[in-house]
Amino acid sequence: MNSRLSSELKAEALNLGFFACGIAHAEAVDDTNASHVRQWIEDGRLADMDYMRNHTDMRLDPRLLMKGVKSIVSVAMNYTPAQHIPSDQLQFAAYAYGEDYHDIVKKKLRQLALTFDFKELRMQDEPNKEDNDTYFRVFCDSAPVLERYWATRAGLGWIGRNHQLIIPKAGSMFFLGELFLTIELDYDEPMRSHCGNCHACIDACPTGAITKDGPLDANKCLSYQTIENRGGISKDIAEKMGNTVYGCDRCQQACPWNRFSIPNNTPELQPKPEFLSMTRDKWMQLSEDEYRQLFKKSAVKRAKYEGLMRNIQAIVDLSKEQKQDH
């Protein structure tokens, strides 16, 4: 039963548009990784993302997040762009090209879950178990879940030096999601790292946020600075941003594994024509109403209008200053 159901789950996940699917046993995070998480928080490498301090106990043991969870189904959805912003225009991280991935991944995970009668399966497994309405839960960057850790436990890939999940012969441009289930399934084997001695991502990081085998320092990361940061943009950070006003893909662009990436064909992840046609002048004149229309159903809302315009202005001001110096 478990082997057949596990295979059927994976097949249906691929049918729904996920690139990969694996299954891990729900248990406490191993001591080494738990220690790294606690140390990362203690050292203040989370910048001012204080929400990362919350629910550490649940983050380190999914059984505290959902009662009775036994299996964690981990999925990956490809977001490698099929079209790109012209190179001479202001840039956005590739994951933000389409609609908000949180909604897309969770919707597909619910479809996956509702394909199977998990309530009936639970009762077959444990006929004397007290009835409980919660037989599954879905997550996508929306709860205290160590997504990359569970993706590695489910055999999808490994966590590279750039702290992204890398899938063999596919790269790292993937959204991750989880389906928590209260039934036992067949579990996949974790995969060892294949980064070897490569340090391309470290060399490509403009701020030194990534170090060899060290923790990511969010304080320095351009993705944090341009999205989560609610303060100002320093001149030093603006100089590192180049022409990217939302996020930063440089560690991914440098990763040799991403040469295997294939453009995604998910309709919801395709960029709007009006987004691709934006010019520097149009960005500078963007009104709040235009922003809302352009980024309706988009993850870019995370930075808010004020944050995006702050980023654009920082680059414009630096460009003006550099021209004056010359």
Side-chain angles (χ1 to χ4, degrees), residues 29 33 38 52 101 122 145 147 165 183 222 248 322 326:
V29 170
N33 282 281
R38 292 192 181 97
M52 294 296 293
Y101 66 95
R122 169 73 180 277
V145 177
E147 296 194 309
L165 180 84
I183 59 173
L222 291 181
C248 178
Q322 290 173 338
H326 287 88

Side-chain angles (χ1 to χ4, degrees), residues 62-308:
R63 297 170 300 182
L64 300 177
L65 182 61
M66 177 183 169
K67 184 180 178 181
V69 62
K70 294 180 179 178
S71 302
I72 296 177
V73 180
S74 181
V75 296
M77 174 173 282
N78 177 22
Y79 68 81
T80 304
Q83 304 177 76
H84 293 268
I85 300 170
S87 59
D88 59 341
Q89 299 301 330
L90 297 179
Q91 301 293 307
F92 285 67
Y95 86 84
Y97 272 33
E99 294 181 12
D100 192 335
Y101 66 95
H102 301 85
D103 300 331
I104 297 169
V105 173
K106 285 196 287 186
K107 180 180 178 181
K108 288 183 180 293
L109 279 172
R110 288 190 190 97
Q111 287 180 266
L112 176 62
L114 294 172
T115 303
F116 304 89
D117 190 345
F118 288 118
K119 179 176 181 177
E120 176 64 24
L121 291 167
R122 169 73 180 277
M123 298 310 291
Q124 288 177 15
D125 274 0
E126 300 180 72
N128 298 319
K129 190 75 174 179
E130 182 180 345
D131 192 21
N132 188 321
D133 290 335
T134 305
Y135 298 95
F136 72 85
R137 288 187 68 183
V138 301
F139 304 100
C140 176
D141 196 19
S142 55
V145 177
L146 292 180
E147 296 194 309
R148 282 164 289 185
Y149 173 84
W150 289 110
T152 63
R153 298 297 300 172
L156 267 60
W158 70 92
I159 299 176
R161 289 200 173 93
N162 60 359
H163 301 276
Q164 303 296 316
L165 180 84
I166 299 176
I167 298 179
K169 304 296 184 181
S172 61
M173 290 192 173
F174 293 95
F175 300 126
L176 300 178
E178 299 77 38
L179 169 61
F180 280 27
L181 297 173
T182 55
I183 59 173
E184 294 278 359
L185 291 169
D186 280 357
Y187 302 123
D188 294 291
E189 290 295 321
M191 187 180 301
R192 67 180 179 84
S193 172
H194 291 277
C195 283
N197 294 320
C198 179
H199 48 80
C201 58
I202 297 173
D203 297 342
C205 182
T207 62
I210 305 172
T211 58
K212 188 178 185 302
D213 302 322
L216 175 73
D217 191 342
N219 297 282
K220 298 178 180 179
C221 181
L222 291 181
S223 284
Y224 161 76
Q225 289 289 340
T226 58
I227 301 172
E228 299 287 342
N229 173 29
R230 297 294 179 247
I233 295 289
S234 68
K235 181 181 176 181
D236 179 58
I237 290 296
E239 289 173 342
K240 307 292 194 225
M241 286 166 60
N243 63 345
T244 301
V245 295
Y246 184 91
C248 178
D249 279 338
R250 273 175 259 189
C251 66
Q252 296 199 91
Q253 291 164 348
C255 179
W257 286 100
N258 277 318
R259 73 182 184 272
F260 298 108
S261 63
I262 300 171
N264 86 83
N265 57 8
T266 303
E268 301 95 322
L269 296 179
Q270 304 312 308
K272 297 177 181 178
E274 53 268 40
F275 172 71
L276 292 177
S277 67
M278 289 292 287
T279 63
R280 186 177 291 247
D281 289 340
K282 287 181 180 178
W283 284 120
M284 290 173 60
Q285 298 167 22
L286 187 71
S287 70
E288 190 161 0
D289 284 341
E290 291 170 331
Y291 164 86
R292 289 198 187 101
Q293 186 61 35
L294 188 61
F295 294 114
K296 185 179 182 181
K297 295 185 178 180
S298 166
V300 176
K301 297 194 300 292
R302 180 74 176 178
K304 304 186 183 301
Y305 173 73
E306 294 79 10
L308 181 62

